[in-house]
Amino acid sequence: MLFKVEMTVNIPLDMPVETAAEIKAKEKAYSQQLQQEGKWRHIWRIAGLYSNVSIFDVKDAEELHNLLMALPLYPYMDINVDALCRHPSSIRNDDK
Amino acid sequence: MLFKVEMTVNIPLDMPVETAAEIKAKEKAYSQQLQQEGKWRHIWRIAGLYSNVSIFDVKDAEELHNLLMALPLYPYMDINVDALCRHPSSIRNDDK
Amino acid sequence: MLFKVEMTVNIPLDMPVETAAEIKAKEKAYSQQLQQEGKWRHIWRIAGLYSNVSIFDVKDAEELHNLLMALPLYPYMDINVDALCRHPSSIRNDDK
Amino acid sequence: MLFKVEMTVNIPLDMPVETAAEIKAKEKAYSQQLQQEGKWRHIWRIAGLYSNVSIFDVKDAEELHNLLMALPLYPYMDINVDALCRHPSSIRNDDK
Amino acid sequence: MLFKVEMTVNIPLDMPVETAAEIKAKEKAYSQQLQQEGKWRHIWRIAGLYSNVSIFDVKDAEELHNLLMALPLYPYMDINVDALCRHPSSIRNDDK
Amino acid sequence: MLFKVEMTVNIPLDMPVETAAEIKAKEKAYSQQLQQEGKWRHIWRIAGLYSNVSIFDVKDAEELHNLLMALPLYPYMDINVDALCRHPSSIRNDDK
Amino acid sequence: MLFKVEMTVNIPLDMPVETAAEIKAKEKAYSQQLQQEGKWRHIWRIAGLYSNVSIFDVKDAEELHNLLMALPLYPYMDINVDALCRHPSSIRNDDK
Amino acid sequence: MLFKVEMTVNIPLDMPVETAAEIKAKEKAYSQQLQQEGKWRHIWRIAGLYSNVSIFDVKDAEELHNLLMALPLYPYMDINVDALCRHPSSIRNDDK
Amino acid sequence: MLFKVEMTVNIPLDMPVETAAEIKAKEKAYSQQLQQEGKWRHIWRIAGLYSNVSIFDVKDAEELHNLLMALPLYPYMDINVDALCRHPSSIRNDDK
Amino acid sequence: MLFKVEMTVNIPLDMPVETAAEIKAKEKAYSQQLQQEGKWRHIWRIAGLYSNVSIFDVKDAEELHNLLMALPLYPYMDINVDALCRHPSSIRNDDK
């Protein structure tokens, strides 16, 4: 099942630079692992913002929730979730 | 260049069913042509709504504008546009 | 999978009373059929409003979308969808 | 009487992990006690968010207020309350 | 049980003056009957607007819903409902 | 003259419990004094929230402003004010 | 007592030009009469909009309400009302 | 040229009382000086709020900006600006 | 003086195509005349929308208001106005 | 490609004056360098606010994103981005 997730990151202004760098490195590794497993299908940056648009391909809402809760940056994020389904006009078979 | 476009369709309640069906058929054909040309990369339905989330891959904002203005359902749509760029964590080379 | 769906009905002021009554009767029959099939788990009225809060239990977002699109009152509704998952504090096994 | 309550938890970023864990444990115990007493009928997690959708079955608004005010996480919550009543299309007798 | 209800009336611009006058007369009679029965405790006009703030004293949300649905102006109203309970600082015994 | 005032209290999370208790005690005494003087006509709790709906009966906006500014909890409140006038359908002579 | 009133006029697109001109002429005459009586103290146009910012000086909310309800353009207006009082920094004695 | 400016002051809760008093005294002196120069034409308190509605009479937007930026309370203010022009119904010649 | 004006055009769905084309032609001629006079400095299309961002260079708010009110599409527009002033970091002398 | 970017700066109230002055000086130098390179075409102050309206002329969304992320004040800014394209009524050839 596909979900669109939009994430906006708000790092506290007083977080030490090294701490922020460490969390971001973990976030990147975690994101890339999920991408390689095919669960985090797409991730794009919204131009000018510390925000991304992502497409997740998961078994159900439970799996999505667990994946998001494990994001190292989760405590600093505003999250918006929309459940998606295949569009009748889509010509891509794997775009569900 | 990639853009995320969200479209919500509001067909007037008094539009004859045949007229609506005709416009929707034109919309579908037009969408599929743009998908085949690679300009309309993705289109997903938002569950429960007459709305879609789409990713366009175009030369610039001018091309995006012209493609959207030519949508047969454009006069009945609310449109939201965000410019995207490659995310530093993305592992898909073609996801710009 | 569970979804919370909130529906607000806006019957056009100029719809003939009989037409409205007929659509509402179809809506009620359709809703009760889905409830009997176990797909529409709960439906409550929000006090004072022509709105309901509903819980759907469906295979995936695709099935939810098709069920909602078939609602006789769908063209007159504002719809809001949230994907749900089992809450770690829940003591009801069937509340997923 | 039934109420739908939506709760979003905002734990302060600087709360010590043990303190947060302790409050959450108390919250869980309190929630499960109210569920066993039949006053907190349903609780679902909203996918991707630290939010829940709950249905309370209480004598009146006074009892609801007292139950919510006693939530260990109450000081960190945004709360939204809607009074519900039986929906004329409902087929479940106990769904009031 | 007490509820605060705010109602804003939007009479369609093309409704004949006599029709509007007739509905408003019925509304007034109905409101005064409910006030005499003690169910519609207070009604105030919001200065400058075609809106009122009302306090209802009813058995439960079901009764509130039925009273509001029977308002002759209901189809033209935006409605906002809040469940109230006695305030710990109140000195009026009958203000629940 | 009547005003509806809605107050939402946001006690800072790091305020010592005793300080908060002291301010709330002063607030309660002040509120009850104004109620006894007939200036604070009604106060109700909004169910589930640390908010109240109040009706003030004062000489003019100046007096209302001074009464509110003197609230011990004022620095922690979000305030919303609406001027009221007698509703033509009201049957209570003293409800102005 | 002073009130700030902001009015935005939405003339229906299909109102005949002469009808609109007639209503606007009545509105202007009525506004100027109230200005001469000292009840409508100030009226300014918001640049670029069919909106005004006005200051009324009336006995109470009741009088304000009656004055506004009698505006020939009232049925086409969105209205926003704020009760004002003398500012402690004001040096103009008549600005209450 | 006239501008309507609405200012809402949010003094930080932890600012020492003397500091706040000092800034407010400077603000008052500065405001009264501008009023005497005819640049700050009107200032009214919005009843119940720590907010004001002001009318400025300045040469242009540049002068307005500089006057506002010099407000001692500016760092604690939310500001809203609307450019005004003479209303065709105004009978006061000096109300531009 | 400079103003940023954002205009969104909402042509009624039932306006005859020729009427719309005629109004748009007048709008274009009028806009180009104001551009040639230097009063309408910039106009850009917002990608994907029937909206523009414009910069006007006028004597004062009065002139801006009169220019906008004379737009042939004005009755179908939502308008948003911000007064601008020279930015201290700007290196363009004519960008005021 | 052109983008309109609106930036609102929120300097934390407890930032030392010298630190703020240093960051603003870097911001100004950086902005002026980008203006000289032709990438930051316009920058205007919104009257009364610590906000600007800017027009960027960049190769694509990627370049815009990198330019904005390098703003010394970026961590303290709220940012809003709109992709622009040439308006069919524009008479300025270089306004794309």
Side-chain angles (χ1 to χ4, degrees), chain B residues 5 61-62 64-66 68-69 74 78-81, chain I residues 45-51, chain J residues 83 85:
Chain B
V5 181
E62 194 84 24
L64 176 74
H65 188 73
N66 293 337
L68 293 177
M69 281 291 159
Y74 188 84
D78 289 328
I79 296 264
N80 192 282
V81 175
Chain I
R45 176 66 75 211
I46 300 181
L49 306 183
Y50 195 173
S51 302
Chain J
C85 40

PDB file of all heavy atoms in Angstrom, chain B residues 5 61-62 64-66 68-69 74 78-81, chain I residues 45-51, chain J residues 83 85:
ATOM      1  N   VAL B   5       2.379  18.346  -8.083  1.00  0.00           N
ATOM      2  CA  VAL B   5       1.133  19.071  -8.307  1.00  0.00           C
ATOM      3  C   VAL B   5       0.007  18.271  -7.657  1.00  0.00           C
ATOM      4  O   VAL B   5      -0.110  17.070  -7.902  1.00  0.00           O
ATOM      5  CB  VAL B   5       0.858  19.264  -9.813  1.00  0.00           C
ATOM      6  CG1 VAL B   5      -0.429  20.051 -10.021  1.00  0.00           C
ATOM      7  CG2 VAL B   5       2.026  19.971 -10.487  1.00  0.00           C
ATOM      8  N   ALA B  61       9.184  25.993 -15.411  1.00  0.00           N
ATOM      9  CA  ALA B  61       7.853  26.359 -14.931  1.00  0.00           C
ATOM     10  C   ALA B  61       6.923  26.704 -16.099  1.00  0.00           C
ATOM     11  O   ALA B  61       5.717  26.464 -16.033  1.00  0.00           O
ATOM     12  CB  ALA B  61       7.955  27.548 -13.970  1.00  0.00           C
ATOM     13  N   GLU B  62       7.500  27.265 -17.147  1.00  0.00           N
ATOM     14  CA  GLU B  62       6.702  27.619 -18.330  1.00  0.00           C
ATOM     15  C   GLU B  62       6.032  26.378 -18.919  1.00  0.00           C
ATOM     16  O   GLU B  62       4.829  26.379 -19.203  1.00  0.00           O
ATOM     17  CB  GLU B  62       7.626  28.261 -19.383  1.00  0.00           C
ATOM     18  CG  GLU B  62       6.912  28.983 -20.500  1.00  0.00           C
ATOM     19  CD  GLU B  62       6.540  30.407 -20.083  1.00  0.00           C
ATOM     20  OE1 GLU B  62       7.202  30.950 -19.171  1.00  0.00           O
ATOM     21  OE2 GLU B  62       5.572  30.967 -20.646  1.00  0.00           O
ATOM     22  N   LEU B  64       5.497  23.529 -17.444  1.00  0.00           N
ATOM     23  CA  LEU B  64       4.509  23.005 -16.490  1.00  0.00           C
ATOM     24  C   LEU B  64       3.193  23.775 -16.625  1.00  0.00           C
ATOM     25  O   LEU B  64       2.105  23.186 -16.691  1.00  0.00           O
ATOM     26  CB  LEU B  64       5.017  23.153 -15.048  1.00  0.00           C
ATOM     27  CG  LEU B  64       3.995  22.720 -13.988  1.00  0.00           C
ATOM     28  CD1 LEU B  64       3.878  21.211 -13.934  1.00  0.00           C
ATOM     29  CD2 LEU B  64       4.336  23.278 -12.612  1.00  0.00           C
ATOM     30  N   HIS B  65       3.321  25.106 -16.673  1.00  0.00           N
ATOM     31  CA  HIS B  65       2.114  25.938 -16.743  1.00  0.00           C
ATOM     32  C   HIS B  65       1.285  25.593 -17.988  1.00  0.00           C
ATOM     33  O   HIS B  65       0.056  25.436 -17.906  1.00  0.00           O
ATOM     34  CB  HIS B  65       2.507  27.414 -16.754  1.00  0.00           C
ATOM     35  CG  HIS B  65       1.336  28.326 -16.622  1.00  0.00           C
ATOM     36  ND1 HIS B  65       0.659  28.496 -15.442  1.00  0.00           N
ATOM     37  CD2 HIS B  65       0.690  29.104 -17.528  1.00  0.00           C
ATOM     38  CE1 HIS B  65      -0.348  29.337 -15.623  1.00  0.00           C
ATOM     39  NE2 HIS B  65      -0.344  29.723 -16.864  1.00  0.00           N
ATOM     40  N   ASN B  66       1.951  25.460 -19.103  1.00  0.00           N
ATOM     41  CA  ASN B  66       1.215  25.182 -20.339  1.00  0.00           C
ATOM     42  C   ASN B  66       0.552  23.802 -20.306  1.00  0.00           C
ATOM     43  O   ASN B  66      -0.581  23.642 -20.755  1.00  0.00           O
ATOM     44  CB  ASN B  66       2.154  25.315 -21.540  1.00  0.00           C
ATOM     45  CG  ASN B  66       2.602  26.759 -21.720  1.00  0.00           C
ATOM     46  OD1 ASN B  66       1.917  27.688 -21.261  1.00  0.00           O
ATOM     47  ND2 ASN B  66       3.760  26.955 -22.330  1.00  0.00           N
ATOM     48  N   LEU B  68      -0.498  22.213 -17.632  1.00  0.00           N
ATOM     49  CA  LEU B  68      -1.638  22.223 -16.708  1.00  0.00           C
ATOM     50  C   LEU B  68      -2.818  22.987 -17.296  1.00  0.00           C
ATOM     51  O   LEU B  68      -3.977  22.577 -17.182  1.00  0.00           O
ATOM     52  CB  LEU B  68      -1.219  22.828 -15.357  1.00  0.00           C
ATOM     53  CG  LEU B  68      -0.214  22.000 -14.555  1.00  0.00           C
ATOM     54  CD1 LEU B  68       0.174  22.728 -13.266  1.00  0.00           C
ATOM     55  CD2 LEU B  68      -0.770  20.627 -14.217  1.00  0.00           C
ATOM     56  N   MET B  69      -2.528  24.121 -17.932  1.00  0.00           N
ATOM     57  CA  MET B  69      -3.598  24.943 -18.513  1.00  0.00           C
ATOM     58  C   MET B  69      -4.373  24.179 -19.585  1.00  0.00           C
ATOM     59  O   MET B  69      -5.535  24.501 -19.865  1.00  0.00           O
ATOM     60  CB  MET B  69      -3.001  26.212 -19.129  1.00  0.00           C
ATOM     61  CG  MET B  69      -2.666  27.288 -18.113  1.00  0.00           C
ATOM     62  SD  MET B  69      -4.190  27.980 -17.403  1.00  0.00           S
ATOM     63  CE  MET B  69      -3.549  28.675 -15.878  1.00  0.00           C
ATOM     64  N   TYR B  74      -9.160  21.404 -16.135  1.00  0.00           N
ATOM     65  CA  TYR B  74      -8.555  22.536 -15.429  1.00  0.00           C
ATOM     66  C   TYR B  74      -9.572  23.539 -14.871  1.00  0.00           C
ATOM     67  O   TYR B  74      -9.445  23.973 -13.712  1.00  0.00           O
ATOM     68  CB  TYR B  74      -7.524  23.258 -16.309  1.00  0.00           C
ATOM     69  CG  TYR B  74      -6.760  24.284 -15.521  1.00  0.00           C
ATOM     70  CD1 TYR B  74      -5.648  23.916 -14.769  1.00  0.00           C
ATOM     71  CD2 TYR B  74      -7.161  25.616 -15.474  1.00  0.00           C
ATOM     72  CE1 TYR B  74      -4.951  24.841 -14.004  1.00  0.00           C
ATOM     73  CE2 TYR B  74      -6.478  26.548 -14.696  1.00  0.00           C
ATOM     74  CZ  TYR B  74      -5.387  26.156 -13.974  1.00  0.00           C
ATOM     75  OH  TYR B  74      -4.711  27.080 -13.207  1.00  0.00           O
ATOM     76  N   ASP B  78      -8.935  22.775  -8.242  1.00  0.00           N
ATOM     77  CA  ASP B  78      -8.052  23.523  -7.359  1.00  0.00           C
ATOM     78  C   ASP B  78      -6.676  22.899  -7.479  1.00  0.00           C
ATOM     79  O   ASP B  78      -6.541  21.670  -7.407  1.00  0.00           O
ATOM     80  CB  ASP B  78      -8.517  23.433  -5.898  1.00  0.00           C
ATOM     81  CG  ASP B  78      -9.780  24.231  -5.667  1.00  0.00           C
ATOM     82  OD1 ASP B  78      -9.957  25.258  -6.334  1.00  0.00           O
ATOM     83  OD2 ASP B  78     -10.593  23.806  -4.836  1.00  0.00           O
ATOM     84  N   ILE B  79      -5.667  23.758  -7.679  1.00  0.00           N
ATOM     85  CA  ILE B  79      -4.326  23.273  -8.004  1.00  0.00           C
ATOM     86  C   ILE B  79      -3.345  23.786  -6.955  1.00  0.00           C
ATOM     87  O   ILE B  79      -3.434  24.933  -6.517  1.00  0.00           O
ATOM     88  CB  ILE B  79      -3.894  23.828  -9.381  1.00  0.00           C
ATOM     89  CG1 ILE B  79      -4.792  23.301 -10.495  1.00  0.00           C
ATOM     90  CG2 ILE B  79      -2.426  23.536  -9.645  1.00  0.00           C
ATOM     91  CD1 ILE B  79      -4.283  22.106 -11.217  1.00  0.00           C
ATOM     92  N   ASN B  80      -2.422  22.921  -6.576  1.00  0.00           N
ATOM     93  CA  ASN B  80      -1.360  23.307  -5.662  1.00  0.00           C
ATOM     94  C   ASN B  80      -0.029  22.813  -6.212  1.00  0.00           C
ATOM     95  O   ASN B  80       0.107  21.627  -6.513  1.00  0.00           O
ATOM     96  CB  ASN B  80      -1.630  22.713  -4.273  1.00  0.00           C
ATOM     97  CG  ASN B  80      -0.728  23.305  -3.243  1.00  0.00           C
ATOM     98  OD1 ASN B  80       0.437  22.928  -3.145  1.00  0.00           O
ATOM     99  ND2 ASN B  80      -1.221  24.276  -2.494  1.00  0.00           N
ATOM    100  N   VAL B  81       0.958  23.729  -6.341  1.00  0.00           N
ATOM    101  CA  VAL B  81       2.223  23.404  -7.009  1.00  0.00           C
ATOM    102  C   VAL B  81       3.394  23.600  -6.053  1.00  0.00           C
ATOM    103  O   VAL B  81       3.471  24.624  -5.367  1.00  0.00           O
ATOM    104  CB  VAL B  81       2.429  24.323  -8.231  1.00  0.00           C
ATOM    105  CG1 VAL B  81       3.800  24.083  -8.874  1.00  0.00           C
ATOM    106  CG2 VAL B  81       1.323  24.123  -9.255  1.00  0.00           C
TER     107      VAL B  81
ATOM    108  N   ARG I  45       3.357  35.410 -14.014  1.00  0.00           N
ATOM    109  CA  ARG I  45       2.370  34.349 -13.808  1.00  0.00           C
ATOM    110  C   ARG I  45       2.865  33.414 -12.702  1.00  0.00           C
ATOM    111  O   ARG I  45       4.052  33.076 -12.673  1.00  0.00           O
ATOM    112  CB  ARG I  45       2.207  33.571 -15.124  1.00  0.00           C
ATOM    113  CG  ARG I  45       1.306  32.399 -15.088  1.00  0.00           C
ATOM    114  CD  ARG I  45      -0.130  32.738 -14.837  1.00  0.00           C
ATOM    115  NE  ARG I  45      -0.815  33.323 -15.977  1.00  0.00           N
ATOM    116  CZ  ARG I  45      -1.812  34.202 -15.853  1.00  0.00           C
ATOM    117  NH1 ARG I  45      -2.215  34.602 -14.655  1.00  0.00           N
ATOM    118  NH2 ARG I  45      -2.406  34.694 -16.915  1.00  0.00           N
ATOM    119  N   ILE I  46       2.010  33.005 -11.781  1.00  0.00           N
ATOM    120  CA  ILE I  46       2.374  31.947 -10.834  1.00  0.00           C
ATOM    121  C   ILE I  46       2.122  30.608 -11.522  1.00  0.00           C
ATOM    122  O   ILE I  46       1.015  30.352 -12.014  1.00  0.00           O
ATOM    123  CB  ILE I  46       1.564  32.043  -9.524  1.00  0.00           C
ATOM    124  CG1 ILE I  46       1.824  33.413  -8.852  1.00  0.00           C
ATOM    125  CG2 ILE I  46       1.948  30.913  -8.566  1.00  0.00           C
ATOM    126  CD1 ILE I  46       1.098  33.606  -7.532  1.00  0.00           C
ATOM    127  N   ALA I  47       3.167  29.779 -11.586  1.00  0.00           N
ATOM    128  CA  ALA I  47       3.111  28.556 -12.399  1.00  0.00           C
ATOM    129  C   ALA I  47       1.944  27.661 -11.989  1.00  0.00           C
ATOM    130  O   ALA I  47       1.805  27.299 -10.821  1.00  0.00           O
ATOM    131  CB  ALA I  47       4.420  27.786 -12.271  1.00  0.00           C
ATOM    132  N   GLY I  48       1.115  27.322 -12.949  1.00  0.00           N
ATOM    133  CA  GLY I  48       0.022  26.385 -12.739  1.00  0.00           C
ATOM    134  C   GLY I  48      -1.278  27.025 -12.307  1.00  0.00           C
ATOM    135  O   GLY I  48      -2.318  26.361 -12.278  1.00  0.00           O
ATOM    136  N   LEU I  49      -1.244  28.315 -11.985  1.00  0.00           N
ATOM    137  CA  LEU I  49      -2.443  28.984 -11.480  1.00  0.00           C
ATOM    138  C   LEU I  49      -2.876  30.105 -12.412  1.00  0.00           C
ATOM    139  O   LEU I  49      -2.085  30.632 -13.191  1.00  0.00           O
ATOM    140  CB  LEU I  49      -2.180  29.569 -10.087  1.00  0.00           C
ATOM    141  CG  LEU I  49      -1.648  28.594  -9.043  1.00  0.00           C
ATOM    142  CD1 LEU I  49      -1.505  29.280  -7.698  1.00  0.00           C
ATOM    143  CD2 LEU I  49      -2.545  27.378  -8.911  1.00  0.00           C
ATOM    144  N   TYR I  50      -4.137  30.492 -12.329  1.00  0.00           N
ATOM    145  CA  TYR I  50      -4.616  31.667 -13.055  1.00  0.00           C
ATOM    146  C   TYR I  50      -4.449  32.853 -12.104  1.00  0.00           C
ATOM    147  O   TYR I  50      -5.409  33.498 -11.701  1.00  0.00           O
ATOM    148  CB  TYR I  50      -6.068  31.473 -13.458  1.00  0.00           C
ATOM    149  CG  TYR I  50      -6.566  32.450 -14.514  1.00  0.00           C
ATOM    150  CD1 TYR I  50      -7.826  32.306 -15.087  1.00  0.00           C
ATOM    151  CD2 TYR I  50      -5.776  33.504 -14.973  1.00  0.00           C
ATOM    152  CE1 TYR I  50      -8.295  33.192 -16.052  1.00  0.00           C
ATOM    153  CE2 TYR I  50      -6.221  34.388 -15.922  1.00  0.00           C
ATOM    154  CZ  TYR I  50      -7.484  34.227 -16.463  1.00  0.00           C
ATOM    155  OH  TYR I  50      -7.932  35.112 -17.419  1.00  0.00           O
ATOM    156  N   SER I  51      -3.186  33.097 -11.738  1.00  0.00           N
ATOM    157  CA  SER I  51      -2.838  34.111 -10.754  1.00  0.00           C
ATOM    158  C   SER I  51      -1.589  34.836 -11.223  1.00  0.00           C
ATOM    159  O   SER I  51      -0.770  34.273 -11.942  1.00  0.00           O
ATOM    160  CB  SER I  51      -2.509  33.461  -9.392  1.00  0.00           C
ATOM    161  OG  SER I  51      -3.563  32.700  -8.913  1.00  0.00           O
TER     162      SER I  51
ATOM    163  N   ALA J  83       6.971  29.176  -7.915  1.00  0.00           N
ATOM    164  CA  ALA J  83       7.612  29.199  -9.236  1.00  0.00           C
ATOM    165  C   ALA J  83       6.840  30.156 -10.137  1.00  0.00           C
ATOM    166  O   ALA J  83       5.609  30.149 -10.157  1.00  0.00           O
ATOM    167  CB  ALA J  83       7.627  27.793  -9.829  1.00  0.00           C
ATOM    168  N   CYS J  85       6.363  32.152 -14.086  1.00  0.00           N
ATOM    169  CA  CYS J  85       6.717  32.099 -15.507  1.00  0.00           C
ATOM    170  C   CYS J  85       6.284  33.411 -16.162  1.00  0.00           C
ATOM    171  O   CYS J  85       5.602  34.228 -15.557  1.00  0.00           O
ATOM    172  CB  CYS J  85       6.155  30.875 -16.218  1.00  0.00           C
ATOM    173  SG  CYS J  85       4.506  30.386 -15.778  1.00  0.00           S
TER     174      CYS J  85
END
